[in-house]
Amino acid sequence: MEPQPTYGCGNEPMVGDLIEFGTRHARLLVSRIHEDAGTFSISCDGHEYQAESLSLMKLIARHGVPVPNKGITK
């Protein structure tokens, strides 16, 4: 079994994470994680994002608690 994909900063996604996606600086809330039949995706704001997209996401807060920046620069 392959390891769960991570955000660019190395954190594994969790339901309730507040993220910024790409360069849009729009904040999204992770509402669901899908790990069915060997594929991985997350749902945010009614859209589904595949594992490849996670490297473009910046974790802002986990369940309302700010997350320290792990070497990611803007």
Side-chain angles (χ1 to χ4, degrees):
M1 177 179 272
E2 292 195 27
Q4 184 177 22
T6 62
Y7 299 121
C9 61
N11 292 85
E12 291 184 0
M14 294 177 64
V15 172
D17 285 352
L18 182 64
I19 60 168
E20 278 186 354
F21 184 67
T23 58
R24 295 183 296 177
H25 302 292
R27 292 190 172 182
L28 305 170
L29 190 62
V30 176
S31 58
R32 187 169 179 197
I33 296 175
H34 311 274
E35 298 179 85
D36 303 327
T39 61
F40 182 90
S41 64
I42 64 173
S43 293
C44 302
D45 195 29
H47 294 77
E48 193 168 316
Y49 298 97
Q50 301 302 315
E52 307 82 53
S53 301
L54 268 65
S55 64
L56 302 174
M57 296 178 181
K58 181 179 177 185
L59 180 59
I60 303 300
R62 176 149 282 166
H63 307 287
V65 177
V67 175
N69 194 345
K70 289 187 176 179
I72 301 297
T73 58
K74 273 193 161 179

